[in-house]
């Protein structure tokens, strides 16, 4: 009797685990490159890729935009990013469950300019969104904004 | 020739001093500017900018600006024209905003209302016409009303979404990468009343981005 009971529980746990994994199949594809102008690179796992429209974007990617270039990226939770010329942006953390809308987005802009449009994670939990720069952290309450990193000589 | 210990100490001290000064200069060379933009639907929004030393500024007016240096945060106001001019490339490069289409079902059945059938056609046209633009990502989200268990509603709403994806596929749309999501009864359009079937909550959303 005890044996049957524990077997049943084991089966249920296995099913739940499988369903959990079956859900976010595209979870590792945090986002997609939608627009590219000029030269844009993505550094990932020690390698470099030339970014093209339709390319996937992953957590921990470093996006490097050259002179006279720009890139637009949309994340799976509908966060929209555009990054301007001579910029370096990193996707520090990204996770999103479309069923519960839970997740987190943490990005940094180390150089250049970034336009940030909050997606569905931010609408449900603004605290789950973080943008970091060399000097600051930015917290949001459901918003769009621009961040520009200035050189010492710039006004 | 061996150096005297005191000379070595002096040399090391000098070297360390030089390294510290260089690192400080490099690290503190940037300032940042953060500008709040208005939301497309005009709803209020705000951001909080906090420096590493804890100084903060709250921006809650569109086109308000925070300037951040290592130890301080200042705020000022700019305007739409200045922002769109200086950051034109960011406006041009932003991906298109996601579009949402709501579909409803006939009473007690799995057939779409005639209006919803027309909306499916609109979605098909949008996807077909957009062949040369950035690839559209399709997400189809099913919702259920409050009747039934959470697990049942999750499964039911997912099946509803899958059925719509099937419809799009039958009309020639490539749905291999479409996301099918069942949100169960988590997001009612009309507030739940216990035990009351609410047809407006039995809906499917097609989101294109």
């Amino acid at each position: 009797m005890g044996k049957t009971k524990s077997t049943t529980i084991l089966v249920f746990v296995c099913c739940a685990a499988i369903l959990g994994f079956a859900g976010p199949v595209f979870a590792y594809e945090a986002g997609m490159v939608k627009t590219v102008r000029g030269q844009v690179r993505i550094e990932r796992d020690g390698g470099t890729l030339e970014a093209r429209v339709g390319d996937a974007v992953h957590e921990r990617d470093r996006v490097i935009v050259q002179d006279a270039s720009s890139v637009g990226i949309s994340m799976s939770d509908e966060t929209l990013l555009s990054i301007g010329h001579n910029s370096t942006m990193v996707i520090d953390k990204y996770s999103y469950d479309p069923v519960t809308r839970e997740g987190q987005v943490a990005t940094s802009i180390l150089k250049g300019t970034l336009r940030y449009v909050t997606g569905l994670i931010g609408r449900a939990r603004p605290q789950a969104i973080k943008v970091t720069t060399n000097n600051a952290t930015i917290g949001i309450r459901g918003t769009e904004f621009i961040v520009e990193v200035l050189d010492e000589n710039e006004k | 020739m061996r150096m005297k210990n005191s000379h070595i100490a002096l040399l090391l001290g000098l070297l360390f001093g030089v390294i510290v000064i260089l690192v400080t200069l490099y690290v503190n060379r940037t300032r940042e500017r953060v500008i709040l933009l208005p939301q497309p639907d005009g709803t209020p929004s705000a951001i909080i900018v906090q420096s590493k030393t804890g100084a903060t500024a709250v921006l809650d007016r569109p086109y308000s600006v925070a300037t951040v240096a290592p130890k301080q945060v200042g705020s000022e106001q700019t305007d739409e024209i200045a922002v769109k001019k200086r950051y034109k490339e960011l406006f041009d490069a932003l991906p298109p905003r996601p579009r949402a289409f709501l579909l409803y079902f006939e009473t007690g059945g799995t057939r779409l209302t005639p209006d919803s059938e027309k909306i499916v056609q609109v979605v098909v046209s949008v996807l077909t016409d957009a062949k040369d633009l950035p690839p559209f990502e399709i997400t189809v989200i099913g919702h259920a009303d409050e009747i039934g268990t959470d697990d049942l509603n999750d499964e039911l709403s997912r099946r509803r979404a899958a059925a719509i994806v099937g419809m799009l596929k039958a009309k020639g749309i490539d749905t291999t990468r479409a996301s099918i999501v069942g949100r169960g009864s988590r997001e009612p359009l009309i507030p739940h009343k216990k035990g009351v079937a609410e047809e407006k909550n039995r809906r499917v959303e097609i989101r294109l981005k």
Side-chain angles (χ1 to χ4, degrees):
Chain A
M1 232 291 247
K3 225 177 179 176
T4 314
K5 222 177 171 177
S6 58
T7 310
T8 311
I9 293 167
L10 187 65
V11 167
F12 175 79
V13 165
C14 283
C15 283
I18 290 165
L19 281 172
F21 282 118
V25 168
F26 298 112
Y28 68 92
E29 278 185 18
M32 185 189 280
V33 175
K34 297 289 193 176
T35 68
V36 175
R37 188 177 67 99
Q39 284 203 306
V40 180
R41 300 197 312 266
I42 297 178
E43 288 178 2
R44 177 186 306 150
D45 296 335
T48 300
L49 311 151
E50 184 76 31
R52 298 204 201 289
V53 171
D55 281 355
V57 167
H58 299 179
E59 191 184 29
R60 290 191 301 275
D61 277 358
R62 177 175 289 245
V63 181
I64 298 171
V65 182
Q66 309 290 10
D67 204 15
S69 305
S70 60
V71 66
I73 294 170
S74 73
M75 308 301 285
S76 62
D77 83 317
E78 300 180 8
T79 296
L80 303 179
L81 307 170
S82 58
I83 309 164
H85 66 283
N86 290 329
S87 301
T88 302
M89 189 217 65
V90 184
I91 300 174
D92 301 299
K93 282 199 167 77
Y94 186 85
S95 64
Y96 178 53
D97 180 339
V99 173
T100 59
R101 298 236 164 118
E102 280 163 14
Q104 58 170 190
V105 195
T107 57
S108 339
I109 177 82
L110 305 172
K111 187 181 159 201
T113 54
L114 166 72
R115 180 171 174 198
Y116 192 103
V117 178
T118 318
L120 297 169
I121 296 170
R123 259 174 256 176
R125 272 191 73 228
Q127 324 88 282
I129 309 303
K130 192 163 83 163
V131 177
T132 312
T133 66
N134 294 309
N135 289 321
T137 54
I138 301 165
I140 68 112
R141 291 176 197 166
T143 65
E144 312 198 11
F145 54 93
I146 286 174
V147 187
E148 178 180 11
V149 180
L150 299 161
D151 266 330
E152 202 177 49
N153 303 321
E154 272 185 277
K155 179 83 180 72
Chain B
M1 187 189 94
R2 275 185 63 202
M3 286 179 81
K4 277 196 188 156
N5 284 347
S6 53
H7 286 170
I8 293 171
L10 190 66
L11 212 62
L12 282 174
L14 223 66
L15 197 62
F16 181 72
V18 168
I19 291 169
V20 168
I21 291 165
L22 283 177
V23 168
T24 309
L25 277 178
Y26 181 76
V27 163
N28 284 347
R29 240 177 58 197
T30 58
R31 289 171 296 133
E32 290 104 20
R33 188 184 280 148
V34 184
I35 307 165
L36 179 67
L37 298 175
Q39 303 224 77
D41 61 3
T43 54
S45 59
I47 52 181
I48 305 161
V49 181
Q50 180 169 50
S51 79
K52 298 251 159 89
T53 58
T56 59
V58 175
L59 303 179
D60 56 13
R61 279 183 63 193
Y63 307 112
S64 50
V65 185
T67 306
V68 194
K71 290 183 185 168
Q72 64 195 103
V73 184
S75 40
E76 51 181 341
Q77 185 71 30
T78 181
D79 59 81
E80 180 180 356
I81 294 171
V83 167
K84 288 194 165 157
K85 185 172 175 204
R86 186 181 174 97
Y87 304 103
K88 182 176 185 302
E89 61 177 348
L90 297 181
F91 285 80
D92 293 343
L94 194 75
R97 311 260 174 177
R99 293 174 63 175
F101 303 83
L102 279 180
L103 308 171
Y104 296 97
F105 294 86
E106 293 278 18
T107 307
T110 52
R111 277 187 35 204
L112 291 175
T113 64
D115 279 347
S116 294
E117 294 266 358
K118 289 194 197 120
I119 292 174
V120 173
Q121 269 313 120
V122 169
V123 172
V124 170
S125 311
V126 167
L127 290 171
T128 316
D129 292 345
K131 285 244 160 71
D132 297 328
L133 294 179
F136 265 116
E137 293 171 278
I138 305 168
T139 304
V140 182
I141 305 164
H143 299 271
D145 66 18
E146 205 240 0
I147 306 293
T149 64
D150 284 348
D151 280 346
L152 191 71
N153 282 334
D154 280 3
E155 182 49 36
L156 193 62
S157 55
R158 193 176 193 282
R159 268 197 273 130
R160 227 166 243 153
I164 299 301
V165 170
M167 276 183 74
L168 292 174
K169 186 175 178 186
K171 290 178 195 280
I173 300 298
D174 177 8
T175 57
T176 44
R177 300 195 66 212
S179 263
I180 301 173
V181 179
R183 276 181 53 79
S185 52
R186 288 176 183 80
E187 203 180 317
L189 272 188
I190 293 168
H192 285 150
K193 266 184 273 181
K194 203 108 185 76
V196 176
E198 185 52 75
E199 268 147 15
K200 276 273 176 246
N201 289 338
R202 289 205 294 268
R203 68 199 189 282
V204 170
E205 215 179 316
I206 301 177
R207 294 185 79 91
L208 303 180
K209 72 178 217 290

